[in-house]
Amino acid sequence: MTNAEARRPLHSSLLSLLLLLPSSFLTARAFLHPSFPSLSSTRMQTPTGRRHRTEGVRMAVGAKGEYAVTLLPGDGIGPEIMTATVGVLEVVAAKASFKFKFQDALIGGAALDAMDDPFPDTSLQACQSSDSVLLACIGGYKWDKNPREKRPETGLLKMRKTLGLFANLRPAKVLPQLVSASTLKPEVVSGVDIMVVRELTGDVYFGTPKGIRTGSDGEREGFNNMIYKESEIRRIAQVAYGVAEKRGKKLCSVDKANVLDVSQLWREVVTEEGLRHHPDVALEHMYVDNAAMQLIRNPKQFDTIVCGNLFGDILSDEASMLVGSLGMLPSASLGDPRGPGVFEPCHGSAPDIAGEDKANPLAMILSAAMMLRYDLSQPQAAEALEAAVERT
Ligand code: IPM
Ligand code: MG
């Protein structure tokens, strides 16, 4: 049985999505246009490595005939939305005359059940040997009481760290037809188009020392270290400026420099990086409490936001609510040029509806579009997929 035959049939909304792919996709014409590079001229496996710089963001795989993609379906609704997404990708690839070679690997609770490790080495190796990685979602009630090292989230953090995925791009774009889905007034949210660039492998998430200890007074205390090296700030700033340059040339850097030393360094380095290399991008600094408030009060003031791991975790959830639903938000995690990016929806594994064929796969499909754009050098296929989702 082929990969395609093994997948469940797509449900009706996905079929209509495929029908909505732009007509240019149904013919080879788009690909014969001079602005669309031919496969032979863009087989850019450089002699020194398999990636080349694209979009000012990172090194990506050059356009080619076949891409190896590792699928991490994870837990809960993960397997269903992954199946739906793979079906859509196979159609897009066939229309654009390239192929995918998919392999499945385990992460999260599924990996704990099978291998007692939330991100086993076999999964890491599968990811490392791929051009790109698609991840659905992880977690569930079953593993909620596990000790930290045996929790699904630990697998996710291990994956991010070991693959060097330091830059997390979370776009929050309000589609006109979904304006009413937001809890905020239509005039506040309509037209919102924000990109949150979240640092993903540093900060208090990974800082040491950390732990729970008993102090000399006999009382227990818990502690984590909010820490950033200058180089870590500089590289995420570079990504954020690159993204802002391709968007509205406006960057808002979020910190808590009025209180935290780590934020003071963050602010200095982000400013320096802009003055030196990106004078065309208008930089603004904002304290995180104010940013949380401004995102609700007047979200249209933001174009690109850059922040550390913890503030980015919080603000990206907040930004998602402008759109009305976490179920619509994709994300891209990028980093080490020698390895793949990981593309995943921002939502969780919704164990309460898992297996009922109710889950909305749009965020996963939009994540696949980000994969086509940022990792696989197939921007036209990405646009086609996004346009189809917007019209669904
Ligand atoms: C996210 C999630 C994760 C995070 C959790 C599941 C560890 O909330 O991707 O935003 O905090 O980064
Ligand atoms: Mg989060």
Side-chain angles (χ1 to χ4, degrees):
M1 195 188 273
T2 66
N3 230 356
E5 284 160 352
R7 311 272 167 204
R8 282 187 310 147
L10 300 177
H11 59 69
S12 57
S13 72
L14 283 171
L15 281 176
S16 61
L17 189 153
L18 294 175
L19 293 173
L20 283 165
L21 284 171
S23 56
S24 61
F25 235 79
L26 304 175
T27 72
R29 274 190 44 230
F31 306 103
L32 299 174
H33 191 273
S35 69
F36 192 81
S38 74
L39 286 181
S40 56
S41 70
T42 55
R43 213 176 286 263
M44 287 189 224
Q45 304 280 7
T46 60
T48 49
R50 59 199 191 93
R51 287 163 179 262
H52 69 110
R53 187 160 293 282
T54 170
E55 301 232 342
V57 175
R58 71 184 304 247
M59 313 286 270
V61 179
K64 53 182 187 171
E66 184 176 274
Y67 299 100
V69 173
T70 292
L71 306 175
L72 300 168
D75 309 317
I77 58 169
E80 353 174 354
I81 60 172
M82 184 65 88
T83 300
T85 303
V86 165
V88 173
L89 277 175
E90 272 167 351
V91 172
V92 167
K95 300 228 185 282
S97 301
F98 60 84
K99 285 195 185 123
F100 285 110
K101 193 162 166 254
F102 294 115
Q103 65 173 327
D104 282 338
L106 294 166
I107 192 169
L112 280 166
D113 286 354
M115 306 184 73
D116 202 31
D117 182 340
F119 189 59
D121 285 348
T122 45
S123 296
L124 174 63
Q125 282 149 16
C127 294
Q128 280 168 334
S129 67
S130 300
D131 293 317
S132 204
V133 177
L134 269 180
L135 165 64
C137 42
I138 51 121
Y141 312 125
K142 184 175 172 189
W143 309 281
D144 270 356
K145 297 212 163 66
N146 285 10
R148 185 168 309 284
E149 69 281 7
K150 294 280 159 74
R151 287 184 64 97
E153 292 85 347
T154 303
L156 186 65
L157 297 180
K158 187 173 157 197
M159 181 204 71
R160 290 173 178 171
K161 194 71 173 176
T162 51
L163 290 174
L165 304 169
F166 68 86
N168 185 214
L169 273 48
R170 297 189 164 185
K173 187 174 174 190
V174 175
L175 302 179
Q177 62 270 39
L178 286 180
V179 164
S180 60
S182 174
T183 49
L184 298 182
K185 291 190 189 124
E187 61 269 30
V188 175
V189 293
S190 90
V192 161
D193 182 357
I194 298 172
M195 178 70 89
V196 178
V197 180
R198 169 190 179 193
E199 200 289 331
L200 204 59
T201 53
D203 203 351
V204 70
Y205 269 59
F206 293 94
T208 52
K210 61 174 191 157
I212 299 174
R213 65 187 168 206
T214 304
S216 49
D217 59 358
E219 191 181 358
R220 285 193 308 155
E221 57 191 13
F223 56 102
N224 288 86
N225 189 4
M226 191 177 242
I227 181 165
Y228 266 120
K229 281 194 197 320
E230 182 172 347
S231 56
E232 292 175 310
I233 304 171
R234 207 170 287 286
R235 69 182 181 179
I236 191 69
Q238 281 163 3
V239 170
Y241 279 111
V243 168
E245 234 150 36
K246 298 251 176 257
R247 293 172 44 92
K249 296 198 181 333
K250 250 175 80 176
L251 180 63
C252 177
S253 173
V254 171
D255 62 39
K256 189 70 186 174
N258 49 346
V259 175
L260 302 173
D261 295 344
V262 59
S263 282
Q264 204 179 311
L265 182 66
W266 176 279
R267 192 172 274 224
E268 270 172 37
V269 174
V270 172
T271 306
E272 242 174 59
E273 199 58 34
L275 287 174
R276 250 191 239 163
H277 303 295
H278 304 274
D280 53 328
V281 174
L283 173 68
E284 178 190 17
H285 297 284
M286 201 178 275
Y287 298 138
V288 63
D289 48 350
N290 187 26
M293 186 264 279
Q294 296 294 340
L295 263 175
I296 301 296
R297 193 184 75 87
N298 176 19
K300 274 180 259 188
Q301 71 185 284
F302 296 105
D303 178 77
T304 305
I305 294 176
V306 62
C307 44
N309 207 345
L310 181 64
F311 298 158
D313 180 43
I314 298 165
L315 292 184
S316 62
D317 263 29
E318 191 186 354
S320 77
M321 277 299 110
L322 303 170
V323 179
S325 162
L326 256 179
M328 284 298 295
L329 282 195
S331 84
S333 301
L334 310 169
D336 186 338
R338 288 158 303 177
V342 174
F343 300 82
E344 59 177 307
C346 290
H347 59 69
S349 58
D352 48 327
I353 58 161
E356 292 179 22
D357 210 14
K358 280 188 193 159
N360 176 354
L362 287 186
M364 179 91 242
I365 292 172
L366 289 170
S367 303
M370 291 185 91
M371 172 181 81
L372 290 166
R373 172 172 297 113
Y374 289 107
D375 235 4
L376 305 185
S377 304
Q378 293 287 349
Q380 291 204 343
E383 268 164 38
L385 208 47
E386 284 163 356
V389 168
E390 284 193 23
R391 285 188 280 157
T392 301

